[in-house]
Amino acid sequence: MASNTKKKVFGSEEALAMVEELRAAFDCGKTRGCEWRISQLKALIKLSEEHEKEIVQALHSDLSKSETEAFVQEIAMLKNSSKVALKELKHWISPEKVKTSLATFPSSAEIVSEPLGVVLVISAWNYPFLLSLDPVIGAIAAGNAVVLKPSEIAPATSSLMAKLLGDYMDNSCIRVVEGAVDETSALLEQKWDKIFYTGNGRVARVVMAAAAKHLTPVVLELGGKSPVVVDSNINLKVATRRIIAGKWGCNNGQACISPDYVITTKEYAPKLVDALKTELEKFYGKNPLESEDLSRIVNSNHFNRLKKLLDDDKVSGKIVHGGKKDEIKLKISPTLLLDVPRDSLIMSEEIFGPLLPILTVDKLEESFVVINSGPKPLAAYIFTNNKKLKELFVRNISAGGVVVNDTTLHLAVHTLPFGGVGESGVGAYHGKFSFDAFSHKKAVLYRSFIGDASVRYPPYTSTKQRLLKALIGGGILGVLSPTCSNLPPKC
Ligand code: NAD
């Protein structure tokens, strides 16, 4: 009896066998055809529509995510990504004609996007539906076979996706492997053609080291401390609502691009704090721990991590709003902290929860120094009506993405790349960038048998040398023919 209920082990052998099966399917050319890609993208839309209720329930079970957030920020976003890929696929797949130079005359050239092969997507728990399947859209659109490893920290969504993808997708080329570190480690031992990882920087290093063994390229979608700079010449009510929407309205701050901390001037801080308090109460009531619109903290580990940030001696007395906790329901109320020291715990790691420290400076320009002294964030936000300040911010702050006068919405613009820089990640996706992330850009040059200039070939007579020198020196050739590198030094 016991052996019947024993969980099936997924180890290195199983991982290798699975990759070999997928590679065989890929090598047959099954995933390359436009029809296959279209059918799989349509299947993703179909499963999202036909199982919307179960997806919402799974997200509620994993995170107490509200139905509105589940629909708008996960299901609708995924459907939209699939629709964009379906609409643009033929255009993305078409070879891109490019100019050639006189060195290859007569010729034509194009960039051909080819699938990479068999790819691995490892995703995180905070947007477990969207973050798992959005990269899969790119992998399918680009014509790859793909294995998805969802996060074990959102188990209801993980098992629902395994079931739905099993039922709706072509399982000869698309698989889901559920599990935690052991299963992921077994997958990481294999040779992949790309690994797309979403999660924290510590595990990203494990992923990159495993990928290096096979020279596998990676996309790493990571996090960081995304700042919000607030000027005093703004529409305070609108700014406040948008900060709240990006922080507590995104999975209660458990989102990679949620505002992590605010910087404003000493003079303006009290006004900003008052406005935040007023709007927070309007949105989530007098007892936000009871609000159905706020997600819970995902598990007790993360709850205790956040509790520790608040218990740090350096921030005692700095809480100006909230700070209430319900250890049973794993809820923490929206919490504002004013004037926290920069060497406090809360300012030394990504918060990823409902706590918002507000730092103050004498002049807003000082915020640039504060932001640039830390690792490069995934997003950076500024609220200002000062044109010069906007320009300075966009030019001088290095971040994955920047939004002026709002938060998080750049994620919804599929014509913008979404990804980090430095500690916040490597590579990008969304829209065409997803297709590109899973494609090789193959350079193709077409020549005919006419126009075979003898100047290219030995013996390199002085006449040929003079001609080549004139052509190259005059910049007429544009690029060097490879054989030119063999020319003697006097050439
Ligand atoms: P997580 O704990 O779900 O881990 C992510 C994945 O890594 C999971 O699939 C997990 O199984 C796997 N994993 C964990 N430990 C591993 C190990 N030792 N070896 C191999 N695989 C392992 O998610 P998380 O890391 O807690 O996610 C939160 C972080 O992700 C935050 O830093 C956040 O900013 C970032 N994030 C980034 C984005 C983005 O799009 N840039 C989106 C969401 C989250």
Side-chain angles (χ1 to χ4, degrees):
M1 189 72 182
S3 63
N4 284 346
T5 53
K6 214 171 158 190
K7 205 179 158 218
K8 233 174 115 191
V9 178
F10 185 91
S12 307
E13 268 179 41
E14 288 74 14
L16 176 63
M18 188 187 63
V19 173
E20 280 176 352
E21 276 175 43
L22 293 191
R23 198 167 293 289
F26 175 79
D27 288 344
C28 284
K30 197 171 186 189
T31 61
R32 287 177 184 259
C34 214
E35 289 70 30
W36 183 87
R37 305 184 201 196
I38 289 171
S39 72
Q40 298 308 300
L41 292 170
K42 283 187 174 164
L44 273 181
I45 296 177
K46 196 161 184 257
L47 75 82
S48 313
E49 283 173 350
E50 291 181 358
H51 297 274
E52 192 181 300
K53 264 202 177 134
E54 286 135 279
I55 299 164
V56 168
Q57 275 163 8
L59 292 167
H60 193 267
S61 158
D62 287 332
L63 289 146
S64 302
K65 209 172 260 206
S66 73
E67 190 174 339
T68 307
E69 271 191 44
F71 179 73
V72 175
Q73 297 178 5
E74 302 228 33
I75 301 169
M77 291 274 287
L78 186 87
K79 275 166 61 182
N80 194 47
S81 279
S82 310
K83 285 178 183 168
V84 168
L86 277 169
K87 186 163 172 265
E88 301 291 335
L89 192 61
K90 292 224 163 99
H91 172 59
W92 292 347
I93 288 177
S94 305
E96 184 194 341
K97 298 270 175 219
V98 290
K99 284 183 187 167
T100 56
S101 73
L102 202 61
T104 62
F105 181 82
S107 69
S108 65
E110 61 187 13
I111 301 168
V112 173
S113 293
E114 67 174 16
L116 295 169
V118 184
V119 302
L120 173 64
V121 171
I122 305 173
S123 84
W125 53 266
N126 59 330
Y127 283 82
F129 184 71
L130 178 72
L131 295 180
S132 296
L133 297 178
D134 211 0
V136 168
I137 290 172
I140 292 171
N144 298 278
V146 54
V147 174
L148 165 66
K149 212 300 288 172
S151 174
E152 71 282 12
I153 294 181
T157 314
S158 172
S159 89
L160 180 63
M161 283 188 299
K163 183 183 171 334
L164 294 181
L165 267 68
D167 291 348
Y168 281 77
M169 314 295 287
D170 174 358
N171 297 155
S172 68
C173 307
I174 301 169
R175 300 276 175 88
V176 178
V177 174
E178 286 193 89
V181 177
D182 288 350
E183 290 79 1
T184 318
S185 305
L187 288 168
L188 285 173
E189 281 170 23
Q190 312 310 315
K191 180 173 167 44
W192 302 94
D193 296 298
K194 186 115 192 189
I195 301 176
F196 188 109
Y197 167 80
T198 303
N200 67 71
R202 182 185 58 79
V203 176
R205 286 164 170 82
V206 174
V207 171
M208 208 167 183
K213 288 200 181 125
H214 301 287
L215 275 185
T216 297
V218 292
V219 171
L220 304 173
E221 292 286 339
L222 314 178
K225 290 185 85 59
S226 299
V228 187
V229 174
V230 181
D231 201 352
S232 57
N233 57 9
I234 52 168
N235 181 327
L236 182 57
K237 185 171 173 178
V238 173
T240 308
R241 290 156 75 92
R242 291 177 180 180
I243 293 170
I244 296 173
K247 178 78 175 177
W248 297 280
C250 286
N251 209 21
N252 208 1
Q254 301 167 104
C256 55
I257 48 170
S258 270
D260 187 276
Y261 65 100
V262 168
I263 311 180
T264 192
T265 58
K266 281 190 176 62
E267 210 186 338
Y268 197 62
K271 260 184 117 170
L272 176 63
V273 169
D274 283 348
L276 281 165
K277 283 183 187 176
T278 307
E279 295 303 318
L280 277 169
E281 199 175 308
K282 276 194 214 158
F283 286 6
Y284 304 115
K286 283 203 186 315
N287 186 3
L289 291 181
E290 297 296 324
S291 172
E292 295 281 311
D293 293 332
L294 284 168
S295 297
R296 67 152 201 266
I297 307 307
V298 67
N299 57 26
S300 52
N301 284 347
H302 279 277
F303 184 90
N304 291 331
R305 179 184 62 77
L306 290 163
K307 196 165 161 279
K308 207 167 133 198
L309 299 184
L310 286 179
D311 290 345
D312 177 14
D313 284 346
K314 290 197 170 129
V315 301
S316 73
K318 302 289 183 187
I319 297 177
V320 290
H321 182 74
K324 298 206 171 68
K325 305 174 212 86
D326 182 334
E327 206 155 350
I328 310 287
K329 288 189 185 158
L330 295 178
K331 288 221 166 184
I332 300 179
S333 64
T335 301
L336 304 173
L337 300 99
L338 184 58
D339 264 333
V340 299
R342 284 179 53 201
D343 63 351
S344 56
L345 215 51
I346 201 166
M347 283 311 296
S348 59
E349 62 177 74
E350 182 183 6
I351 297 170
F352 221 60
L355 323 176
L356 185 67
I358 299 168
L359 309 189
T360 57
V361 287
D362 290 322
K363 283 200 164 135
L364 218 49
E365 284 74 8
E366 290 168 37
S367 62
F368 289 37
V369 181
V370 177
I371 298 168
N372 284 336
S373 65
K376 295 179 179 183
L378 185 58
Y381 309 114
I382 186 165
F383 287 87
T384 182
N385 269 319
N386 180 330
K387 192 166 172 269
K388 183 96 193 290
L389 194 64
K390 284 181 205 173
E391 281 170 16
L392 281 175
F393 192 80
V394 172
R395 213 179 312 137
N396 294 313
I397 298 298
S398 183
V402 165
V403 182
V404 176
N405 291 335
D406 212 323
T407 65
T408 67
L409 284 190
H410 58 308
L411 174 105
V413 182
H414 71 82
T415 45
L416 288 174
F418 183 78
V421 55
E423 286 280 320
S424 55
V426 174
Y429 73 135
H430 286 188
K432 168 92 165 27
F433 302 98
S434 292
F435 175 84
D436 290 343
F438 288 103
S439 302
H440 165 59
K441 302 290 167 188
K442 188 159 65 183
V444 182
L445 181 71
Y446 296 96
R447 296 264 285 143
S448 73
F449 293 100
I450 58 166
D452 195 41
S454 61
V455 66
R456 180 180 168 186
Y457 306 114
Y460 300 123
T461 61
S462 52
T463 312
K464 285 182 184 177
Q465 284 179 22
R466 272 201 305 280
L467 186 57
L468 276 171
K469 215 169 166 182
L471 288 170
I472 295 164
I476 296 171
L477 288 183
V479 289
L480 284 175
S481 157
T483 47
C484 284
S485 59
N486 297 333
L487 293 176
K490 66 178 179 167
C491 171

